[in-house]
Amino acid sequence: MVIPSELQVVRQTALEVLDVVKHCGYDEASAFGIRLALEEALYNAIKHGNRMDPAKVVKVDVDIDRSRAVLTVTDQGEGFDPATVPDPTTDENLERPCGRGIMLMRAYMDEVHFTPPGNQVRLVKQNR
Amino acid sequence: MAERGGRLNVSVGSDGVTTVELTDKKILDEVSISAIGEQLYALVAQSASPRVVLDFTAVGHMSSSALGMLITLHKRIREKQGQLRLCGIQPGIYEIFTITRLNEIFQITPTRQEAIQSLT
């Protein structure tokens, strides 16, 4: 699916994916984590990747079956190096108001892969 | 004294503690958090030394932007020598706080009563 660079679209997009996740038998905890990680990826794509440019879109590829969920989010930005994002859990960064999206994706998904130049992220969750 | 303001139910007890119940469709995400944050910041600005309880009982989903708002709120309250408590956080939401270590920044109680008592 392709969505516009509008924050208000994220919620509905995530809910549609959540429906598929639940239909494929993922438990509540997994579904919660998949939804949260997907929303973080979408917000990042819209805010940071596409810089809220209404002329740009975000591509969301969804491949979900009973064994695993693979979500790929691609924006039309220039990309970035995820290794340059500061660790938000260090003492000096703990009270920064932003910078936790990627960390939460990694916490709730089994795999998080950024494809160079960094404008695409692939989220993978195994169904246990 | 209590008032409903869209996404927030605000009440001020006789002890001067302001309790804010987050009610916005159980979701604190990018779309809702901006308006909620502005309401909370305005609430804090009105008080000389705010004592605020945020009740999360109705919150079933949250994004990282909500954490950013809470951090900013916490700072503003601290700057006025006030205090902030979070309460009623569901286990799934609380996990977000522990993953991000923000459970070490915020004072969180299981119930609203405990939160209010800790401020009086």
Side-chain angles (χ1 to χ4, degrees):
Chain A
M1 67 181 92
V2 175
I3 65 172
S5 295
E6 296 169 10
L7 296 178
Q8 57 267 35
V9 176
V10 171
R11 189 187 294 182
Q12 185 55 38
T13 302
L15 287 175
E16 288 175 13
V17 173
L18 188 65
D19 267 347
V20 177
V21 167
K22 288 183 174 177
H23 187 71
C24 286
Y26 290 71
D27 62 25
E28 282 297 322
S30 294
F32 178 93
I34 290 170
R35 178 187 176 183
L36 190 151
L38 175 60
E39 287 190 353
E40 294 295 334
L42 292 174
Y43 288 133
N44 280 353
I46 291 170
K47 287 165 61 180
H48 304 299
N50 288 351
R51 297 180 193 257
M52 305 289 295
D53 184 348
K56 295 184 177 175
V57 297
V58 177
K59 189 162 172 283
V60 187
D61 291 308
V62 177
D63 182 8
I64 301 173
D65 58 32
R66 290 190 174 276
S67 65
R68 72 173 194 164
V70 182
L71 309 170
T72 306
V73 176
T74 309
D75 63 63
Q76 294 183 292
E78 295 174 1
F80 77 113
D81 180 0
T84 62
V85 177
D87 180 354
T89 63
T90 61
D91 289 346
E92 60 267 27
N93 293 329
L94 204 50
E95 294 196 62
R96 292 181 69 191
C98 57
R100 294 176 178 81
I102 294 176
M103 200 212 79
L104 288 174
M105 284 186 238
R106 293 193 198 282
Y108 282 97
M109 301 301 282
D110 294 314
E111 299 171 41
V112 176
H113 304 283
F114 285 91
T115 307
N119 63 331
Q120 180 181 85
V121 62
R122 188 162 62 96
L123 310 171
V124 183
K125 182 74 175 176
Q126 303 290 341
N127 190 6
R128 296 188 176 83
Chain B
M1 179 180 74
E3 59 179 88
R4 279 181 187 267
R7 299 171 171 93
L8 306 178
N9 287 344
V10 181
S11 59
V12 182
S14 55
D15 46 24
V17 174
T18 299
T19 300
V20 181
E21 189 182 342
L22 299 165
T23 59
D24 187 21
K25 297 181 183 174
K26 308 180 185 182
I27 295 172
L28 293 181
D29 61 12
E30 284 277 351
V31 175
S32 67
I33 207 61
S34 180
I36 289 171
E38 290 306 317
Q39 290 179 66
L40 290 172
Y41 302 151
L43 209 62
V44 167
Q46 291 167 16
S47 173
S49 184
R51 288 177 293 154
V52 178
V53 171
L54 280 188
D55 190 335
F56 278 71
T57 303
V59 177
H61 182 70
M62 195 169 76
S63 73
S64 61
S65 57
L67 299 175
M69 182 278 288
L70 291 171
I71 289 168
T72 300
L73 180 70
H74 188 229
K75 279 184 184 167
R76 294 190 184 190
I77 289 175
R78 258 185 358 214
E79 284 165 0
K80 303 184 87 172
Q81 282 75 56
Q83 295 186 68
L84 174 67
R85 300 288 185 270
L86 310 184
C87 69
I89 300 179
Q90 297 176 25
I93 301 295
Y94 187 78
E95 187 178 22
I96 299 174
F97 283 88
T98 56
I99 288 170
T100 56
R101 285 188 63 201
L102 290 177
N103 59 318
E104 300 174 28
I105 297 294
F106 297 109
Q107 294 192 55
I108 301 173
T109 65
T111 68
R112 185 190 294 194
Q113 185 181 8
E114 288 168 280
I116 293 172
Q117 279 176 351
S118 74
L119 292 173
T120 55

